[in-house]
């Protein structure tokens, strides 16, 4: 059985939080980037498909969901 990658774990966290907050991909894209054009990219991040996603991008998504990236990794 293969282990979950860090991209998959972060993506799953973003997906679960987005669903909990009842946000669509488009709504999250608008919240983060002020446009709806990045909804597909966010969806691919959630699925762990994007391997070269910057820490800044992850931090922006996490922050838009009401979290601080530093706090998540303290646990």
């Amino acid at each position: 059985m293969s282990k979950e990658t860090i991209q998959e774990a972060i993506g799953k966290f973003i997906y679960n939080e987005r669903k909990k907050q009842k946000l669509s991909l488009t709504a999250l894209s608008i919240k983060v980037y002020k446009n709806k054009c990045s909804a597909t990219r966010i969806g691919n991040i959630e699925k762990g498909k994007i391997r070269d996603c910057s820490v800044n991008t992850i931090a922006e998504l996490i922050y838009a969901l009401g979290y601080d990236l530093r706090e998540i990794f303290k646990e």
Side-chain angles (χ1 to χ4, degrees):
M1 183 153 73
S2 65
K3 284 189 167 186
E4 183 176 61
T5 66
I6 188 71
Q7 291 91 349
E8 291 167 338
I10 290 170
K12 189 184 296 183
F13 176 83
I14 293 169
Y15 173 82
N16 289 334
E17 285 304 314
R18 180 176 64 78
K19 287 298 186 178
K20 228 187 274 185
Q21 295 179 29
K22 297 181 170 93
L23 290 171
S24 66
L25 284 169
T26 301
L28 183 56
S29 179
I30 290 169
K31 195 171 184 179
V32 175
Y33 301 109
K34 310 296 186 253
N35 66 58
K36 60 182 179 180
C37 299
S38 296
T40 301
R41 179 168 168 75
I42 294 171
N44 287 330
I45 291 169
E46 289 180 346
K47 294 172 189 163
K49 290 183 176 180
I50 297 181
R51 301 281 182 218
D52 61 347
C53 189
S54 75
V55 173
N56 288 337
T57 298
I58 298 297
E60 288 173 352
L61 290 167
I62 299 288
Y63 182 77
L65 293 168
Y67 292 89
D68 185 326
L69 190 58
R70 293 171 293 188
E71 294 300 316
I72 290 172
F73 285 103
K74 280 186 179 178
E75 295 177 10

